Structures are given as structure tokens and as C-alpha cells.
Amino acid sequence: MGITRKVLNWYARIGPSHGKVSPPYEHVVQIGDPILRKASEAVPVDQIKTEEIQKLIKKLHYVLDKYGSLGMSAPQVGVNKRIFVMRHTAKQIAALPKEIEKSRGMTVVPFSVFINPKLKVIDYNKVTMSEGCESVQGYIAEVARYRAVEISGLNAEGNSTSTQFKDWAARIAQHEMDHLDGKLYTDIMDRKTLQCTCWEEVNMAKGKVVIPFYPD
Ligand SMILES: [Zn+2]
């Protein structure tokens, strides 16, 4: 980190805009933020329909859309509540090469909200694939995950919901469940496979590349 960057970071922390942003955020917090390491609290059932929780769900949906992510958990927007959302659209899948769609077993997942979710492993066989996280921007690594899981919990209306996920969708669900327990994929990754997603660009641009912490 150069001195200019250090000064800018310092200014960002203590500058005039500091303290004006409060959770739930419209950005995704990054690794190092203590909130990502806390176990989240269960949401009392009678609070699901409150404005606070409904706003949090809307904010998760908003941030999921804004970043074009497949999953988003409440701690990632600065709130330690056991809620995550996930979704994989046909459009997102169609934008990828067919081989990737096939090898990763990608399937459409409608927008889903899980409150106080529980995970049950359906298929204990583990699959190792490359995985990233919006809270570890700019990096990916190989992570082993169960092939199929069932997530049960409550939906945004407070009704019981249960879904079985396979392959890529099962990976998303396991990744988001981990967030609710203060875990990140970097805890369980194959450490030698950790890579910067733009390492080739760094060489091509003679090092003049920045990792974006905000979607385009
Ligand atoms: Zn994540």
C-alpha cells in the first residue's frame, strides 16, 4: 500500500462522510469487518413482519441485484441476523460458457428468502470447485462442498419453507449458511488455490489495476 492510498484510506475513515452510513448497508462489507466473524442471531418469529426485518429483506434483495450476486446474507450488509437470500437467473446462467454451466451443474433458482435456516446434508459426497465471495472481493479459491443439501426455515411472510438444492445451488446455500455462523470460504478453501481474479490483467497493465469494491 502506497502512502497516497494510506492517506486516502485514513481520510475515508475519519473524513466528513464517516459515520453517516448505518446498516443495513447498500454495499457489501469486506473481510476484516468483525461482523463477518460473529454468529448471527435468530429472528423471533413475531418480528418477521416488522418494518425492520422487511426492510432488511428488501435491502438484501437490492444488494443482491446491484452486485449481480447469487447469494447474500444479512451480516454482509452489516446486520447479524440469521437471514440470507439466494437466486440464480436463467439470464445469469446464459451469460456463462455452456461448459461452465454443465460442469458446475447450474440450475435456475428463483429468488428465495431463508430466515433462521437449518441445513441438512442430502448427499455427503463432496465436490471441489472454484468459489468466490462478495466479501472477499477480487479473489477466488477451490472449496469442497456437499453435493446436495436441504435448507429449511421461514420465508419473508414467516411461513415454513424447505428446498433441496443440488450442485451449484447447493454450494451457494452452504456458502450463505456459513456466513450466518461467522465463517468464510477462506476458512475451508484449499489454500494453495487462492488466486487474485485479475492477476493476468495486473501483468498486462503493468500493475495498474484496482480491485473494484463497488459493482459497475
Ligand atoms: Zn460470501
Side-chain angles (χ1 to χ4, degrees), residues 28 36 71-73 76 131-136 145 172 175-176 179 183-185:
V28 179
L36 289 172
M72 193 62 60
S73 63
Q76 289 179 283
E131 182 175 318
C133 175
E134 296 292 1
S135 293
V136 187
R145 300 276 188 195
I172 306 167
H175 179 118
E176 299 311 326
H179 274 302
K183 296 176 193 162
L184 297 171
Y185 82 79

Side-chain angles (χ1 to χ4, degrees), residues 117-133:
K118 297 266 182 288
L119 181 147
K120 186 174 134 195
V121 179
I122 302 291
D123 184 342
Y124 277 90
N125 288 304
K126 283 193 166 178
V127 184
T128 300
M129 283 188 182
S130 201
E131 182 175 318
C133 175

Side-chain angles (χ1 to χ4, degrees), residues 150-192:
E150 182 179 88
I151 304 290
S152 307
L154 301 170
N155 63 16
E157 287 76 46
N159 299 322
S160 294
T161 179
S162 177
T163 313
Q164 291 198 357
F165 296 108
K166 258 178 75 183
D167 298 320
W168 195 253
R171 177 170 297 271
I172 306 167
Q174 288 168 81
H175 179 118
E176 299 311 326
M177 281 298 294
D178 280 351
H179 274 302
L180 304 186
D181 291 323
K183 296 176 193 162
L184 297 171
Y185 82 79
T186 50
D187 306 349
I188 54 165
M189 68 183 177
D190 173 352
R191 294 190 301 251
K192 283 186 182 169

Side-chain angles (χ1 to χ4, degrees), residues 15-202:
S17 65
H18 177 71
K20 286 186 181 165
V21 185
S22 56
Y25 300 130
E26 293 189 358
H27 66 271
V28 179
V29 304
Q30 294 299 305
I31 186 169
D33 190 319
I35 201 146
L36 289 172
R37 291 307 188 177
K38 288 182 193 156
S40 287
E41 293 167 3
V43 182
V45 182
D46 60 0
Q47 284 184 21
I48 292 174
K49 289 190 175 163
T50 61
E51 201 183 336
E52 182 200 354
I53 298 300
Q54 291 300 314
K55 268 191 177 167
L56 173 57
I57 293 167
K58 279 203 183 86
K59 195 58 74 80
L60 283 167
H61 197 166
Y62 172 80
V63 175
L64 186 83
D65 279 348
K66 181 163 130 179
Y67 284 73
S69 316
L70 309 181
M72 193 62 60
S73 63
Q76 289 179 283
V77 296
V79 181
N80 274 127
K81 302 255 187 231
R82 299 190 78 81
I83 305 178
F84 76 80
V85 298
M86 62 183 277
R87 180 207 46 205
H88 206 170
T89 65
K91 199 176 165 194
Q92 283 170 313
I93 296 172
L96 294 165
K98 272 270 167 252
E99 317 83 85
I100 291 194
E101 176 188 339
K102 240 182 145 180
S103 66
R104 296 187 181 179
M106 289 176 166
T107 44
V108 170
V109 178
F111 178 77
S112 313
V113 179
F114 292 102
I115 302 171
N116 303 338
K118 297 266 182 288
L119 181 147
K120 186 174 134 195
V121 179
I122 302 291
D123 184 342
Y124 277 90
N125 288 304
K126 283 193 166 178
V127 184
T128 300
M129 283 188 182
S130 201
E131 182 175 318
C133 175
E134 296 292 1
S135 293
V136 187
Q137 204 56 256
Y139 291 86
I140 50 168
E142 301 267 307
V143 182
R145 300 276 188 195
Y146 297 118
R147 187 181 286 278
V149 297
E150 182 179 88
I151 304 290
S152 307
L154 301 170
N155 63 16
E157 287 76 46
N159 299 322
S160 294
T161 179
S162 177
T163 313
Q164 291 198 357
F165 296 108
K166 258 178 75 183
D167 298 320
W168 195 253
R171 177 170 297 271
I172 306 167
Q174 288 168 81
H175 179 118
E176 299 311 326
M177 281 298 294
D178 280 351
H179 274 302
L180 304 186
D181 291 323
K183 296 176 193 162
L184 297 171
Y185 82 79
T186 50
D187 306 349
I188 54 165
M189 68 183 177
D190 173 352
R191 294 190 301 251
K192 283 186 182 169
T193 66
L194 180 67
Q195 61 169 277
C196 176
T197 52
C198 53
W199 68 268
E200 287 160 308
E201 277 176 84
V202 168

Side-chain angles (χ1 to χ4, degrees), residues 1-12:
M1 183 187 284
I3 189 73
T4 314
R5 175 63 55 194
K6 276 185 186 162
V7 170
L8 285 174
N9 283 350
W10 170 79
Y11 189 74

